[in-house]
C-alpha cells in the first residue's frame, strides 16, 4: 500500500502540532513508521488519504459499536446542528438520554454528562473524595483512566508506550495520594488497604482492562474488590469508558454481576462525539453542585450535538440487545480463527478476550496484569502490526491497547482478517 499523502500530511502536522498528533498513541511511535491519516469511514471500513481502504479494529477506541457513520447517529447530529450547536443552557434532550442511560444500567439513579472519559474519571474521583472525606485512591498499574494528574501513576495506554507512566508535571503532592495496586492480585489490594486504614476514598478500576491489551478480571478478583470496599467503607469506581454499553446494556457491571458505587462512561455514550459521564446512586450524586459541595462544571457538558448522537446510539443498543450477542460471537470467531492460524504456524501467543474486546499478545505466559503484558515480544508485535496494515487491516498501533469489534464487521471481513494473519505469520520471525 502507498501512504505518500499520509506521510506528507504528517510532516506538515508536525510543524504545528506536537508530534503531529492530538493524542500520542496515534503517532505510531510504538510500532514505527508514519501514522495513517484517515479521510472518512463507513461501517467497518476506514478510507485513508491515499485511497487505501482498511478494515477497522480500533473503532475510535471503542465507541463505534455499530460501525462508522451509522445512519441514525449521523442523521440525529445533522438535524440537531440545524437548531444550534451549543447554548450553555439546559436542554430537554439531556434528560432524555439521562433517563435512557439510567434505565439501561441497573444501579445508577442519576448521571452527570461531561466531555470526555478523562473528565468523567477525574470528576468521579473528586466526588468519591468529597463523599468520603478521604484523600487517597487506589489505582492499578497498567490501567488508564485518562490523563488527569492523579491517574498518571503507572498508567497504561499511550503513557506506557511513550515511557511516561509517571508523567513529569504531576506533583509529588498529587502522586502521594494515588496508591498503586497489581491488577488481578487481591492480596496486594488488601495489603494496601490494611496499611492505609480509614484513608482510602475509592478504588478506581477498569472492570475489564483495555489499556494494557485486553485483560479480564480473573475469577473472584472483582468480587473480592467489592467485598474489600464494603468492609472498609471505600467507594468502588468502575471506569466503563471502554466497556460501558459495549459488554452488555448495563456494561461490565451487568456482565460480571458486580455493582460499583460510581461508574464513569465515555466515548460510547456520545455515539463517537466528545462525551463522558459519571453516574451513581442518588445519595452520592446529590453531593455534586448545585445540590452539594463537590464542584464540577462545563459549558460544553450536555452539548446538544453530543447528546443527539449519544441518544441515537443508546436507543439502538437498547432496542436491539441482540447486537451484544452478535458482536460477542464475531469476536469469538475471530479469536478462534487467529488462534488456529498462529498455532499452525507455531507462533507463541496468548489471546485475551472478553465480550467484544480482544487482544493478541506475543507471549507464552498468561497475560493477567501489567507485568505480564509488558513481557510480550514487542518486536514481533511491530512486525505483526505493519504486516496486517499491508494486508488492509488496521489494529491498534501498540501492544498496550485493545481491539474493538463492531457490528458492522461481516464474517467475510473476519475471514479476510484471519487470512491476513495467516500471510503475516509466515514472516514474523
Ligand atoms: N488512550 C486512547 C486509547 N486507550 C487513545 C486515544 C486516541 O488516540 O484517540
Amino acid at each position: 500500500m502507498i501512504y505518500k499523502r499520509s506521510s506528507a500530511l504528517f510532516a506538515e502536522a508536525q510543524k504545528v502540532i506536537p508530534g503531529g498528533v492530538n493524542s500520542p498513541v496515534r503517532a505510531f511511535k510504538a510500532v514505527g513508521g508514519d501514522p495513517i491519516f484517515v479521510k472518512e469511514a463507513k461501517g467497518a471500513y476506514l478510507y485513508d488519504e491515499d485511497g487505501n481502504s482498511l478494515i477497522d479494529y480500533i473503532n475510535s477506541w471503542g465507541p463505534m459499536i455499530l460501525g462508522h457513520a451509522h445512519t441514525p447517529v449521523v442523521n440525529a447530529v445533522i438535524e440537531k446542528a440545524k437548531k444550534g450547536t451549543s447554548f450553555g443552557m439546559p436542554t430537554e434532550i439531556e434528560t432524555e438520554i439521562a433517563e435512557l442511560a439510567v434505565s439501561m444500567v441497573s444501579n445508577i439513579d442519576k448521571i452527570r454528562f461531561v466531555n470526555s472519559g478523562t473528565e468523567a474519571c477525574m470528576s468521579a474521583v473528586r466526588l468519591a473524595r468529597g463523599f468520603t472525606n478521604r484523600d487517597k485512591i487506589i489505582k492499578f498499574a497498567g490501567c488508564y483512566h485518562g490523563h488527569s494528574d492523579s491517574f498518571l501513576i503507572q498508567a497504561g495506554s499511550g503513557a506506557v508506550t511513550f515511557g511516561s507512566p509517571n508523567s513529569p508535571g504531576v506533583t509529588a503532592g498529587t502522586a502521594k495520594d494515588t496508591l498503586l495496586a497489581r491488577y488481578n492480585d487481591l492480596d496486594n489490594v488488601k495489603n494496601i488497604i490494611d496499611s492505609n486504614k480509614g484513608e482510602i476514598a475509592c478504588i478506581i478500576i477498569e472492570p475489564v482492562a483495555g489499556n494494557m491489551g485486553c485483560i479480564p478480571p480473573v475469577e473472584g478478583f472483582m468480587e473480592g474488590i467489592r467485598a474489600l470496599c464494603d468492609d472498609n467503607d471505600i467507594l468502588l469506581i468502575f471506569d466503563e469508558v471502554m466497556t460501558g454499553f459495549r459488554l452488555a446494556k448495563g456494561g461490565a457491571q451487568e456482565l460480571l454481576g458486580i455493582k460499583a458505587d460510581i461508574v464513569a462512561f465515555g466515548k460510547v455514550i456520545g455515539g463517537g462525539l466528545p462525551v463522558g459521564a459519571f453516574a451513581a446512586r442518588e445519595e452520592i450524586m446529590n453531593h455534586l453542585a448545585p445540590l452539594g459541595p463537590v464542584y464540577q462544571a462545563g459549558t460544553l457538558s450536555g452539548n446538544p450535538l453530543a447528546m443527539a448522537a449519544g441518544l441515537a446510539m443508546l436507543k439502538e443498543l437498547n432496542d436491539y440487545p441482540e447486537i451484544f450477542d452478535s458482536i460477542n460471537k464475531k469476536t469469538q470467531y475471530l479469536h478462534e480463527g487467529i488462534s488456529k492460524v498462529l498455532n499452525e504456524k507455531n507462533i507463541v501467543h496468548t489471546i485475551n478476550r472478553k465480550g467484544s474486546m480482544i487482544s493478541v499478545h506475543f507471549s507464552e505466559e498468561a497475560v493477567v496484569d501489567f507485568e505480564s503484558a509488558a513481557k510480550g515480544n514487542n518486536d514481533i508485535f511491530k512486525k505483526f502490526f505493519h504486516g496486517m496494515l499491508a494486508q488492509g487491516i488496521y489494529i491498534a498501533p501498540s501492544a498496550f491497547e485493545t481491539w474493538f469489534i463492531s457490528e458492522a464487521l461481516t464474517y467475510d471481513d473476519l475471514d479476510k482478517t484471519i487470512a491476513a494473519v495467516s500471510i503475516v505469520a509466515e514472516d514474523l520471525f
Side-chain angles (χ1 to χ4, degrees):
M1 287 202 195
I2 296 168
Y3 305 117
K4 231 170 130 190
R5 188 163 156 73
S6 272
S7 293
L9 289 171
F10 185 48
E12 202 60 29
Q14 287 177 84
K15 294 179 195 160
V16 283
I17 300 173
V21 291
N22 283 309
S23 187
V25 185
R26 300 177 196 175
F28 273 28
K29 288 263 191 285
V31 289
D34 289 348
I36 309 295
F37 274 55
V38 65
K39 188 169 190 179
E40 55 190 276
K42 180 74 188 164
Y45 283 77
L46 297 168
Y47 302 94
D48 73 14
E49 289 283 356
D50 286 283
N52 304 306
S53 61
L54 301 162
I55 300 179
D56 185 17
Y57 284 97
I58 301 193
N59 282 297
S60 189
W61 307 95
M64 300 307 169
I65 296 174
L66 306 169
H68 290 282
H70 188 63
T71 305
V73 174
V74 172
N75 288 345
V77 174
I78 292 171
E79 286 314 307
K80 221 28 169 188
K82 290 180 189 163
K83 296 176 179 158
T85 53
S86 175
F87 312 115
M89 292 169 72
T91 54
E92 187 178 1
I93 195 168
E94 291 163 77
T95 308
E96 219 182 313
I97 184 170
E99 282 170 352
L100 182 56
V102 164
S103 76
M104 290 171 81
V105 182
S106 70
N107 61 325
I108 59 172
D109 299 321
K110 290 186 177 178
I111 184 164
R112 169 67 59 89
F113 288 96
V114 291
N115 300 295
S116 68
T118 292
E119 260 192 72
C121 291
M122 176 184 80
S123 308
V125 164
R126 185 182 304 139
L127 180 57
R129 284 175 163 150
F131 187 77
T132 58
N133 277 317
R134 295 172 177 181
D135 289 344
K136 293 185 179 172
I137 67 169
I138 294 182
K139 86 166 275 287
F140 292 82
C143 278
Y144 180 76
H145 307 290
H147 61 92
S148 91
D149 288 1
S150 304
F151 303 132
L152 288 180
I153 318 288
Q154 283 288 307
S157 186
V160 56
T161 308
F162 296 102
S164 306
N166 310 300
S167 173
V170 175
T171 65
T174 299
K176 80 171 179 8
D177 285 330
T178 300
L179 308 170
L180 196 67
R182 258 194 310 274
Y183 203 83
N184 278 327
D185 185 343
L186 204 53
D187 286 341
N188 176 243
V189 181
K190 192 173 175 324
N191 288 339
I192 294 171
I193 293 173
D194 287 346
S195 313
N196 294 273
K197 275 273 175 219
E199 292 184 89
I200 299 169
C202 61
I203 295 181
I204 182 163
I205 189 164
E206 295 176 68
V208 173
N211 286 287
M212 43 183 167
C214 169
I215 302 191
V218 295
E219 219 182 309
F221 176 64
M222 215 50 84
E223 291 78 359
I225 295 280
R226 179 66 270 178
L228 283 173
C229 285
D230 290 341
D231 293 348
N232 293 279
D233 299 320
I234 294 170
L235 294 181
L236 177 58
I237 302 178
F238 270 7
D239 173 348
E240 294 232 41
V241 167
M242 287 174 170
T243 54
F245 307 102
R246 168 173 277 280
L247 293 187
K249 254 195 208 188
Q253 292 195 101
E254 183 182 323
L255 190 75
L256 303 175
I258 306 285
K259 291 191 190 316
D261 297 299
I262 307 179
V263 191
F265 299 106
K267 311 181 203 247
V268 182
I269 204 163
L273 267 76
V275 184
F278 58 105
R281 58 183 182 270
E282 185 159 16
E283 176 200 9
I284 297 176
M285 290 307 274
N286 286 354
H287 256 64
L288 270 185
L291 285 182
V294 176
Y295 200 71
Q296 180 280 320
T299 296
L300 292 170
S301 297
N303 173 267
L305 301 191
M307 296 295 97
L311 183 60
M313 177 83 168
L314 291 197
K315 271 185 179 164
E316 293 255 321
L317 296 174
N318 191 48
D319 294 348
Y320 305 102
E322 58 275 17
I323 288 169
F324 298 106
D325 198 35
S326 172
I327 50 176
N328 292 353
K329 285 199 174 115
K330 287 178 182 177
T331 314
Q332 185 179 352
Y333 183 84
L334 187 69
H335 180 167
E336 288 166 359
I338 295 178
S339 259
K340 186 165 175 279
V341 165
L342 293 179
N343 282 332
E344 278 165 9
K345 314 260 176 196
N346 291 320
I347 305 227
V348 169
H349 71 281
T350 297
I351 297 182
N352 281 359
R353 168 172 59 92
K354 193 76 182 171
S356 55
M357 296 165 66
I358 182 170
S359 55
V360 179
H361 303 259
F362 295 101
S363 169
E364 57 191 324
E365 64 180 76
V367 176
V368 294
D369 56 13
F370 177 65
E371 227 180 295
S372 46
K375 284 186 187 155
N377 186 328
N378 207 42
D379 291 332
I380 299 297
F381 182 83
K382 284 182 194 173
K383 274 182 145 183
F384 182 68
F385 171 82
H386 283 291
M388 293 299 280
L389 193 56
Q391 296 298 319
I393 315 291
Y394 194 69
I395 60 169
S398 160
F400 293 99
E401 302 288 353
T402 291
W403 310 13
F404 296 96
I405 287 7
S406 81
E407 178 62 348
L409 281 161
T410 62
Y411 279 90
D412 189 42
D413 295 327
L414 300 174
D415 284 336
K416 279 187 192 147
T417 307
I418 295 163
V421 172
S422 179
I423 295 168
V424 173
E426 288 294 336
D427 205 22
L428 277 182
F429 285 93

